[in-house]
Amino acid sequence: MPNPYPYKNLEENPFYMELAKSAYGHYGAVVDFKNFQGNPMPSFDELPPNIRRAWHDATRFAYNQGAHAEAEKGKQ
């Protein structure tokens, strides 16, 4: 069975970490920088390392899925 999470725990990459930080900021803007309990969201740098890493890996996945979709679109 193929790995459903191919971007989990790959080597951390500064490009994707900056992209994750930007995505987190955009997410915060959408929810008025409040968490699900209505409390203020911490800054990206204040997040625990495992949560920053989760944003990194999820952003890397989304970025690469978009790149893959664009490549496939170009083949049509």
Side-chain angles (χ1 to χ4, degrees):
M1 180 172 166
N3 179 2
Y5 307 108
Y7 296 97
K8 183 178 185 223
N9 295 327
L10 293 178
E11 185 175 335
E12 192 173 290
N13 180 300
F15 171 77
Y16 294 113
M17 192 56 81
E18 282 301 311
L19 205 55
K21 191 173 190 173
S22 179
Y24 182 79
H26 280 75
Y27 171 83
V30 170
V31 297
D32 294 324
F33 296 94
K34 304 279 186 209
N35 69 15
F36 72 98
Q37 296 172 318
N39 297 322
M41 288 173 46
S43 72
F44 186 82
D45 294 331
E46 293 172 326
L47 292 172
N50 65 320
I51 302 301
R52 283 195 311 270
R53 185 53 195 253
W55 275 91
H56 170 278
D57 292 358
T59 302
R60 187 175 196 161
F61 172 78
Y63 181 88
N64 284 290
Q65 287 295 104
H68 177 72
E70 284 299 311
E72 289 297 312
K73 194 164 60 173
K75 292 180 183 177
Q76 296 176 6

